[in-house]
Amino acid sequence: MLLRLLLFVLMLTPAGALSQSRAEVETQFRAWLETTVWPRARARAVSRATFDRAFASTRLDWSLPDLRPPGSDADVPTLQRQSEFGAPARYFRRGALDGATSVGRQMARRHAAALTRAERATGVPGRIILAIWGRESGYGRAAIPHDAFRTLGTLGFMGRRAAYFTDELIAALQIAQAGHAPSAAMKTSAAGALGQPQFMPSSFMKYAADGNGDGHADIWRSEADTIASIANYLARHGWVSGRDWGFEVTVPASVSCAREGPDRGRPIAEWEALGIRRVSGRPFPGHERAGEGYLLMPAGRHGPAFLVTPNFYVLKDYNMSDLYALFVGHVGDRIAFGSGDFDAPWGAVGRMTRSDIATIQRALERMGLDTGGIDGLPGFRTRRAIGRWQENTGRRATCFPTPSMAAALK
């Protein structure tokens, strides 16, 4: 009877739920390193000595998210919770702004020579380099605790994006082979991003720079190399020397918030002709008026508005978030010019989950409005679609999701 019961349970149990022991998976991981990673590394001129140093005592990191062991269709269990949408105001907390600004000013004085060299070489202002450095690693003060080879090896072996992380692991081995830093110093985030600028290994290979002239790009221990690397990244992504990142503005009611977006650019002088003004009351700089500008309203009518330049979207290349790029530009201005808070406050928009926003996006897509995808994030296309729907239905256009909107569109 017991045997029959066991066979019955096994028949009802999904195959992926019968997981191997961790010891068995660790054995497969070591085999994978030898049969898959080592041949690829050797083909990229990585020596056996470098390979062995990197993985001498490496074991899988089971604490990382989104792991799926071989032969299983189930993820390693992690704590799950309903994901709440982070309203824009949260990104600009007082402590984060003041800390990034005050330490940034100290770093501006301490590393003035390296910042000047980087700005002369690339055209990227030192204040922007500092703001990114501060955001990514607290000017090198934030803990970056993960071993690069353990993290990337784990994600390459049993992460959801295994092929991508295997490529990144090979790049990390090339970095170690080149001697930019000892293997033990090559620390990453839980997502595999390296050092103080938080470059993925493939980005390191393309953009890391030697800022102190020692022949290496040590973005873990060298502030000069970190500064030079951030500047080189932005320059290689198209930073336009001489142009600012953007300006806080007032947008009159006659200008629809649905005009927002990088695909709706026009000369700043034309935006000015529509009634858009700098909140400072000063005119737009003459050399900026002829250049293209883009309306940015990250909280719709519930927060500050901006005219941004192509350089804003270069900042987004570093981290694909409007709020990230805005934080960097704003902190850079605070460091260099003593700028205060944005003139317009961030309005309260109510507590929402990403699933609420996804509900709104689905409804708008059914109406033929482009939201840029159903991801639970109110990017510019979603904000613009909301504005179009509001205008089409006789509502006041705010171009931002609210809890009541989610209920109305269900």
Side-chain angles (χ1 to χ4, degrees), residues 91-176:
Y91 213 94
F92 297 87
R93 290 188 178 99
R94 169 61 48 213
L97 285 173
D98 289 350
T101 300
S102 62
V103 178
R105 288 172 182 161
Q106 296 172 27
M107 294 297 163
R109 294 189 293 269
R110 186 176 304 169
H111 301 291
L115 288 161
T116 298
R117 285 196 301 272
E119 184 165 351
R120 286 174 178 168
T122 64
V124 179
R127 72 183 193 276
I128 297 296
I129 300 168
L130 286 166
I132 288 181
W133 186 16
R135 187 66 187 175
E136 293 298 330
S137 65
Y139 305 100
R141 299 181 178 190
I144 304 172
H146 296 273
D147 175 82
F149 302 104
R150 185 183 189 198
T151 299
L152 293 167
T154 300
L155 295 171
F157 179 63
M158 60 179 186
R160 282 185 172 274
R161 301 166 64 201
Y164 167 76
F165 282 108
T166 301
D167 290 344
E168 295 295 339
L169 176 60
I170 301 301
L173 287 165
Q174 291 178 269
I175 294 166

Side-chain angles (χ1 to χ4, degrees), residues 173-397:
L173 287 165
Q174 291 178 269
I175 294 166
Q177 179 66 39
H180 292 294
S183 296
M186 289 178 59
K187 300 297 185 180
T188 76
S189 68
L194 301 171
Q196 297 186 44
Q198 288 290 276
F199 282 175
M200 293 304 293
S202 58
S203 289
F204 180 103
M205 300 288 287
K206 295 175 185 174
Y207 308 116
D210 174 13
N212 58 14
D214 68 354
H216 297 292
D218 185 348
I219 61 172
W220 296 269
R221 301 173 300 172
S222 169
E223 291 86 354
D225 291 358
T226 295
I227 288 167
S229 297
I230 294 170
N232 188 48
Y233 183 100
L234 296 176
R236 296 276 298 278
H237 280 78
W239 185 274
V240 181
S241 181
R243 292 207 70 182
D244 211 325
W245 65 269
F247 309 89
E248 187 183 359
V249 297
T250 57
V251 180
S254 57
V255 177
S256 170
C257 54
R259 291 191 180 209
E260 182 187 7
D263 53 350
R264 299 287 191 272
R266 58 175 65 201
I268 287 178
E270 292 187 15
W271 291 112
E272 193 175 28
L274 293 172
I276 290 178
R277 299 288 184 267
R278 294 178 68 182
V279 297
S280 66
R282 297 191 298 271
F284 292 101
H287 71 280
E288 295 280 12
R289 294 182 75 251
E292 190 147 275
Y294 315 89
L295 184 61
L296 173 73
M297 302 180 74
R301 293 281 183 182
H302 298 296
F306 307 87
L307 278 185
V308 298
T309 75
N311 285 339
F312 178 85
Y313 295 101
V314 174
L315 297 179
K316 276 194 69 174
D317 284 335
Y318 208 101
N319 182 315
M320 288 303 294
S321 161
D322 287 338
L323 297 179
Y324 175 92
L326 189 58
F327 184 94
V328 165
H330 183 48
V331 168
D333 289 351
R334 290 168 65 99
I335 290 170
F337 309 131
S339 304
D341 292 339
F342 293 134
D343 188 73
W346 297 100
V349 295
R351 296 176 69 88
M352 299 187 72
T353 64
R354 288 184 61 172
S355 62
D356 292 331
I357 296 170
T359 295
I360 293 171
Q361 289 171 325
R362 289 190 190 93
L364 295 171
E365 291 273 0
R366 287 195 297 269
M367 298 175 191
L369 295 167
D370 176 19
T371 67
I374 299 169
D375 58 5
L377 297 172
F380 77 89
R381 284 192 172 87
T382 294
R383 299 194 295 265
R384 196 160 66 191
I386 289 170
R388 291 298 184 207
W389 169 72
Q390 290 170 323
E391 290 170 346
N392 292 343
T393 56
R395 293 170 167 84
R396 174 178 173 266

Side-chain angles (χ1 to χ4, degrees), residues 47-67:
S47 71
R48 184 71 203 195
T50 296
F51 183 86
D52 287 344
R53 279 195 299 272
F55 298 111
S57 58
T58 297
R59 295 174 61 84
L60 292 165
D61 186 347
W62 293 86
S63 71
L64 297 175
D66 296 327
L67 300 182

